[in-house]
Amino acid sequence: MIYLDHAAATPVSKKALKAMEPYFSDDFFNPSAAYLPAKKVAADYENAKNVIAHAIGAKGTDIVITAGATEANNLAFSFLDKGSVLYLETEHDSVRKVAESYGGQPIGVDKNGRILIDDLKAKMTDDVMLVSVALCNNEIGTIQPLSEIAAYLREVKMDRLARGVKRPVYLHSDASQAMNLLNVNIARLGVDLLTINSAKVYGPKGVGALYVSRDVKLSPVTLGGGQEKGLRSGTENVPGVIGFSVAVNEAYEHLNGNRKKYAELKRILLSELEGYELVNKKHTLDNFVVICYNGIDAERLIFLLEDKGVYVSTGAACAASKGVKSHVLKAIGLSDSEIAGSLRLTLGETNTKEQIHEAARLINEAANIERRRNG
Ligand code: PLP
């Protein structure tokens, strides 16, 4: 198997899996229980939360553990009034659909998928309380200039203050795809709310976290026993959080090595693949390679490649499974036929140079089969 879909899912690292194991069996206790073994589990849970929070430059008490990035994104919007959010038009559906439900307005992107700051400025009104821009896009890997956006929002705040406008404006970012290649730091990014995702950093699925600055007053997504400061009631997912904390540390240990490795693998892919257009040319994570074969149906390529044991995708796993055209590729100006011919290859820790040479050969072969079929 050659797996080139790490943006959809990453395998749980051996170290994370091992660290999780005791919390399914010997240390199964509910952290809210009053007896000693449960208190030890509660302490381990808090320690793991601290580790996750420290990785982004926050304190354990500043993050809310959620059941994944989707829930963290939903929670991030929970303080809003109708019509008070601006979001990037290329956001993952877990931001886009929530923003739409709050009557949000999309901000446009350029051909590289980078935010059009002028469009953000044009759409900024005194009603806006939240701007949501993912640090890295999940379909094309575009890295956004978040600190520039944060600097602009500081100007907006000063201007509101000077005019006696009391409404706050905050910056949220979904950093789900970022932590394998970037050192994600809340102060450097200038964010008030930040979503992170265990499932994309070789931790377990169904675990995520939302960093919440002290100024932001969120509303709970679930009501119940009052866990996670009352914002996300429900018995804590202790093994999941332990696994996430180990995976986050490993991701940071591997950061420099990963960058070098993926840059090299990407170089090999781009030099050995034939007859394609590169879609994500600039400002992109090195593990994202998005290519387009104009006139070829990428869905057919995927099936041909699957037969050879190569797993790739056409874009976001959730959109691909519903046969929906990518709103991201549309936003960066690709035509319908270019979208239909686009493949997303996302590299990860499982990949070797040998695999990449072989994948390039098999992708070329599959593209040639399709070209011949089209006559
Ligand atoms: N945000 C981004 C950028 C993602 O890539 C994903 C996962 O594909 C999500 C949110 C949703 O994550 P989850 O399915 O773990 O809730």
Side-chain angles (χ1 to χ4, degrees):
M1 171 174 97
I2 304 178
Y3 179 70
L4 297 175
D5 200 17
H6 291 84
T10 51
V12 177
S13 84
K14 288 194 174 62
K15 229 166 142 180
L17 194 60
K18 192 154 183 266
M20 290 165 72
E21 246 168 38
Y23 298 93
F24 288 111
S25 49
D26 295 349
D27 296 323
F28 66 91
F29 305 99
N30 188 324
S32 300
Y35 29 85
L36 210 59
K39 286 194 190 307
K40 182 196 166 289
V41 170
D44 292 350
Y45 179 81
E46 291 307 323
N47 279 341
K49 266 185 81 170
N50 281 332
V51 169
I52 296 165
H54 287 169
I56 55 168
K59 293 199 184 87
T61 47
D62 297 334
I63 65 168
V64 178
I65 296 293
T66 59
T70 299
E71 196 185 286
N73 287 338
N74 277 259
L75 179 61
F77 282 62
S78 64
F79 71 103
L80 292 175
D81 297 334
K82 265 255 177 279
S84 61
V85 56
L86 300 176
Y87 65 100
L88 207 62
E89 65 177 325
T90 51
E91 290 299 302
H92 186 271
D93 276 353
S94 59
V95 164
R96 200 162 66 112
K97 296 206 170 151
V98 191
E100 280 169 5
S101 77
Y102 282 98
Q105 270 207 73
I107 313 161
V109 295
D110 65 15
K111 63 181 191 321
N112 294 307
R114 292 262 278 192
I115 183 170
L116 293 171
I117 297 268
D118 284 345
D119 195 34
L120 166 64
K121 291 183 179 173
K123 287 174 178 157
M124 180 58 66
T125 65
D126 283 345
D127 287 333
V128 173
M129 297 172 82
L130 186 70
V131 174
S132 184
V133 176
L135 178 54
C136 302
N137 181 267
N138 60 301
E139 289 192 39
I140 53 176
T142 308
I143 305 166
Q144 299 295 341
L146 274 191
S147 48
E148 199 183 316
I149 300 167
Y152 166 63
L153 292 187
R154 278 196 296 277
E155 280 173 31
V156 172
K157 280 179 207 163
M158 299 288 277
D159 175 57
R160 286 187 187 177
L161 208 65
R163 290 184 295 111
V165 177
K166 294 230 166 56
R167 211 160 168 82
V169 58
Y170 299 120
L171 178 59
H172 166 246
S173 184
D174 176 355
S176 287
Q177 293 287 346
M179 290 180 99
N180 292 312
L181 281 104
L182 303 179
N183 192 328
V184 178
N185 180 282
I186 47 161
R188 223 176 24 246
L189 296 173
V191 291
D192 304 287
L193 293 148
L194 185 87
T195 296
I196 53 176
N197 191 346
S198 160
K200 313 291 182 184
V201 290
Y202 303 85
K205 293 178 186 57
V207 191
L210 182 69
Y211 158 75
V212 189
S213 98
R214 277 173 207 156
D215 305 333
V216 188
K217 303 287 171 252
L218 299 178
S219 297
V221 279
T222 51
L223 296 173
Q227 292 90 342
E228 300 299 318
K229 291 186 284 189
L231 290 170
R232 203 271 169 190
S233 284
T235 302
E236 293 87 345
N237 178 358
V238 180
V241 170
I242 299 283
F244 187 12
S245 70
V246 172
V248 159
N249 269 348
E250 276 188 285
Y252 277 7
E253 276 165 29
H254 297 172
L255 215 55
N256 287 331
N258 276 350
R259 279 203 205 113
K260 281 199 198 110
K261 171 179 164 171
Y262 299 142
E264 170 70 355
L265 297 185
K266 186 170 182 171
R267 193 192 57 70
I268 296 173
L269 258 181
L270 295 184
S271 68
E272 295 185 7
L273 288 171
E274 294 159 359
Y276 67 91
E277 281 289 323
L278 182 62
V279 172
N280 59 341
K281 295 191 185 76
K282 274 168 90 176
H283 307 295
T284 180
L285 288 174
D286 269 336
N287 62 329
F288 276 70
V289 179
V290 184
I291 51 176
C292 164
Y293 294 100
N294 207 350
I296 289 183
D297 181 354
E299 293 286 343
R300 293 185 60 92
L301 285 184
I302 285 181
F303 293 125
L304 288 175
L305 289 167
E306 185 179 345
D307 270 351
K308 306 278 180 193
V310 181
Y311 296 98
V312 298
S313 79
T314 52
C318 33
S321 68
K322 294 186 209 91
V324 175
K325 278 219 167 62
S326 160
H327 68 285
V328 176
L329 299 181
K330 207 171 159 136
I332 62 169
L334 264 61
S335 66
D336 280 357
S337 79
E338 286 170 324
I339 295 174
S342 291
L343 275 189
R344 179 186 74 172
L345 317 174
T346 46
L347 307 166
E349 301 212 349
T350 67
N351 298 134
T352 60
K353 275 192 202 173
E354 292 66 36
Q355 284 188 345
I356 297 304
H357 290 302
E358 182 62 358
R361 189 184 71 75
L362 290 166
I363 296 170
N364 287 336
E365 195 177 278
N368 282 332
I369 291 173
E370 280 306 297
R371 281 192 197 97
R372 279 199 296 278
R373 207 183 62 86
N374 291 346

